[in-house]
Amino acid sequence: MTGDETGRAREAFIEEALEMLSGIESDLLDLEKDPSDSEAVSSILRALHTIKGSGAMVGFDEVAAFAHQIETVYDFIRKGKLVSTKSLIDLTLESCDLVQSMIRRTRPEDIRFDDQAGTLLSRLSELCPELNDIKGPGKGLLRREEIPKVPPQGTRITYRIRFRPQPDIFLKGTDPVLLLDELRGLGECLVLVHNDQIPDLRSLDPEKCCIYWDIILTTDRGIDAIKDVFIFIEDECELRIDIIDEGETALDEKDYKKIGEILLEKKDVEPEDLERILRERKPIGEVLVSEGLVPRTRVEAALTEQVHVRRMREQRLKSEVISSLRVSSDKLDRLVNLAGELVTVQARLSQTSFSRSDPELLSIAEEVERLTGELRESAMSMRMVPIGTTFARFRRLVRDLSAELGKEAELITYGGETELDKSVIEKLQDPLVHLIRNSLDHGLESPQIRESSGKPRKGTISLAAMHSGDKVRIEIRDDGAGLDGEGIRIKALEKGLITAADGLSDRDLYPLILLPGFSTSGNVTNISGRGVGLDVVKRAVDSLRGSIEINSEKGAYTDIALSLPLTLAIIDGLLVKISDDFFVLPLSSVEECVELRRKDAGKNNGRHIANVRGQIVPYVSIRDQFTTGGSRPDIEQIVIIVHENRKVGFVVDTVLGEYQTVIKTLGRAFRNVIGISGATILGDGTVALIIDIPGIIRIAEEKAGA
């Protein structure tokens, strides 16, 4: 391979290996809950085997060798020679962390076995005495040429399996046909029986197995899945598994081996006999059978294998165009940006065609609008990823942190298949970490306190995701002590955040815990107590144009729900105008629009409140917030939005209507302007500012408090 090809292969390996390590971590936690979970053990083995083989292919020899040792341990567990324990799980998790750090060094030549690796290997050898080749850093490790080359996970590989059971296999209660049926369930399978060793009827013993099989299997399940089929009879049969097609076909490699090559490879014919037959220039299979050198069944098996592999290669060549690809996130971001630019140009085209009243141009504009909408949806769907992968990472956090705090806790997740924009998920990880840490430290009680109050010793933290309209709702709930409303009230009074006359309910007090520096914890630990974590959550959710809702019952539970947009790149907005300036409000937050007459505004003694069908709604004047020039019209518009389960009005001059908004980030000089989250370009080239709803409300509340 060239230098560029090697670099790309290593990047692909790093990305794949990090995903597999995350999966191993999840399987280890499953195995810790149920040590008899054979599926988890098999999954761990498959992942380690792939890391070992793929790592060796791209030069990560030290990674491959280290993964081989861990794989050996779990092979002992699969065979029943070793039992999974908490100590072993701890060591394996540490080993996965080490492998991850080794991989992140990127350059294979930078990876060396250090003291940590040696210590881990020694501790593993203590738990697994059968592992005689673990004696220190780098000792007893596989040489590179000894490490099997494992194709990438998911590749359809074709295997040749020679299965020859012992003659007395029936007496041990094993039915070979059931094993063959299990192989058929792994993929596309051809079973060829060899009956050349069946004696005549007078010598036949019906209790003995006199036949054997060749199986041609094309599967994406990997060689370990095949070995699992024979796991209970591996000592009672002759089993040979060979890869005959690795799932990668070049354009000039449609053909497959000749019949003679296949028979020679299977050791069904001697080299000198094959060479003699070839000199006769007759069909090789026919001559071999006629001379009694090879039974007809074996020649037929070789012919079947040849036809099958050729057909698989032809199918693969035809389907290569539609196979899935790994695409870097930068390329996806570029595609979404281009789709956004096209949306802007399309809006300009629609506006121009409407102003000219040209039917043909209007028809073209409508067609472009339809195609642009489909392109936008396709581009956005490519960036949508399931949130379950992010959820899985928090199981390790709960396990380690609960042990550190001396608590017993379990994380239960729901809705992992819910999809969110990649960029939203990336920005969501830190807030979720803070919320889970907060639930463990403040929410869940110690096992002794839980038992004394009639609760199970082990607390539960649930993490759920679900679609709610055009948003995603993520809930973090614990069955702990709940929030202390009175304690929050006392702390808020001390800090001057509220007054005794406010008379706030507990539900109104809960959002105060999100303020900077607010903490009801009396002790500062390395986990909490400084009042920083939930402030980080609040700022992150606001930056995502989301909202937070808090519910709790003292002694029972705490429930924190995050409501987030599906994407940050393109949104549906409500375009409004104030004097000569344009603004956009996220349409997902808008509930309705009502009129505000100047004479009605003067009836409230200067207070910014409106009576909307008997309900009092406070409102904010966007003109006043941004000191926009021009005179107020006699009739203004109040855009009623819903934020954190309460209604707030935004007063504007004119509501222009719905507008598909491509979000552009502001320059460095305006990045920290409160109340503006971005900008967009209208069809005529005019810039419209996107209003940051939480920011505007926060400014208005601060002014009202002052």
Side-chain angles (χ1 to χ4, degrees), residues 156 182-190 217-221:
R156 282 170 56 85
E182 194 172 344
L183 285 176
R184 288 189 178 97
L186 297 179
E188 193 166 340
C189 184
L190 293 174
L217 174 65
T218 301
T219 178
D220 59 359
R221 298 283 298 277

Side-chain angles (χ1 to χ4, degrees), residues 62-199:
E62 305 294 337
V63 171
F66 190 75
H68 167 69
Q69 308 294 17
I70 313 300
E71 180 191 12
T72 305
V73 173
Y74 280 84
D75 189 42
F76 282 129
I77 293 176
R78 182 178 66 168
K79 293 177 179 177
K81 297 179 181 179
L82 189 65
V83 177
S84 172
T85 62
K86 186 179 184 304
S87 300
L88 182 58
I89 298 293
D90 289 338
L91 273 176
T92 312
L93 287 170
E94 289 183 46
S95 300
C96 287
D97 292 341
L98 177 60
V99 172
Q100 190 175 86
S101 67
M102 293 165 73
I103 290 172
R104 289 189 186 279
R105 292 173 198 169
T106 304
R107 297 198 315 168
E109 55 269 26
D110 294 340
I111 300 175
R112 295 290 181 269
F113 274 86
D114 51 21
D115 293 339
Q116 184 183 1
T119 303
L120 285 172
L121 292 176
S122 299
R123 289 165 63 191
L124 278 171
S125 64
E126 292 173 6
L127 290 176
C128 181
E130 296 91 343
L131 211 59
N132 296 320
D133 58 342
I134 295 183
K135 298 176 182 176
K139 295 183 179 179
L141 302 176
L142 286 178
R143 295 189 301 273
R144 180 173 183 178
E145 60 270 18
E146 294 175 333
I147 301 173
K149 304 297 187 288
V150 180
Q153 195 173 34
T155 305
R156 282 170 56 85
I157 312 299
T158 301
Y159 301 88
R160 179 204 302 132
I161 305 161
R162 170 64 62 88
F163 170 43
R164 189 195 296 265
Q166 292 180 354
D168 61 349
I169 192 169
F170 297 145
L171 301 177
K172 298 179 181 179
T174 300
D175 185 354
V177 175
L178 298 179
L179 302 177
L180 298 175
D181 288 341
E182 194 172 344
L183 285 176
R184 288 189 178 97
L186 297 179
E188 193 166 340
C189 184
L190 293 174
V191 179
L192 310 162
V193 63
H194 294 285
N195 55 14
D196 54 277
Q197 294 184 356
I198 298 179

Side-chain angles (χ1 to χ4, degrees), residues 50-51 479:
T50 303
I51 291 173
D479 63 350

Side-chain angles (χ1 to χ4, degrees), residues 54 65 71 122 139 189 206 258 305 405 593 691:
S54 301
E71 180 191 12
S122 299
K139 295 183 179 179
C189 184
K258 306 297 184 184
E305 175 183 322
L405 294 169
C593 299
I691 291 179

Side-chain angles (χ1 to χ4, degrees), residues 470-483:
D470 62 345
K471 293 192 175 184
V472 168
R473 183 180 175 89
I474 298 174
E475 294 184 357
I476 301 93
R477 183 184 179 101
D478 66 69
D479 63 350
L483 293 176

Side-chain angles (χ1 to χ4, degrees), residues 647-685:
K647 293 183 178 181
V648 180
F650 282 27
V651 178
V652 300
D653 290 359
T654 310
V655 174
L656 299 177
E658 184 178 343
Y659 185 79
Q660 194 174 85
T661 305
V662 180
I663 300 174
K664 302 291 184 181
T665 56
L666 298 173
R668 185 177 301 174
F670 304 100
R671 191 167 294 167
N672 296 320
V673 174
I674 300 175
I676 298 296
S677 61
T680 188
I681 302 173
L682 304 182
D684 60 357

Side-chain angles (χ1 to χ4, degrees), residues 578-591:
I578 302 171
S579 189
D580 295 327
D581 298 323
F582 294 91
F583 297 88
V584 174
L585 288 161
L587 192 62
S588 59
S589 300
V590 176
E591 184 168 276

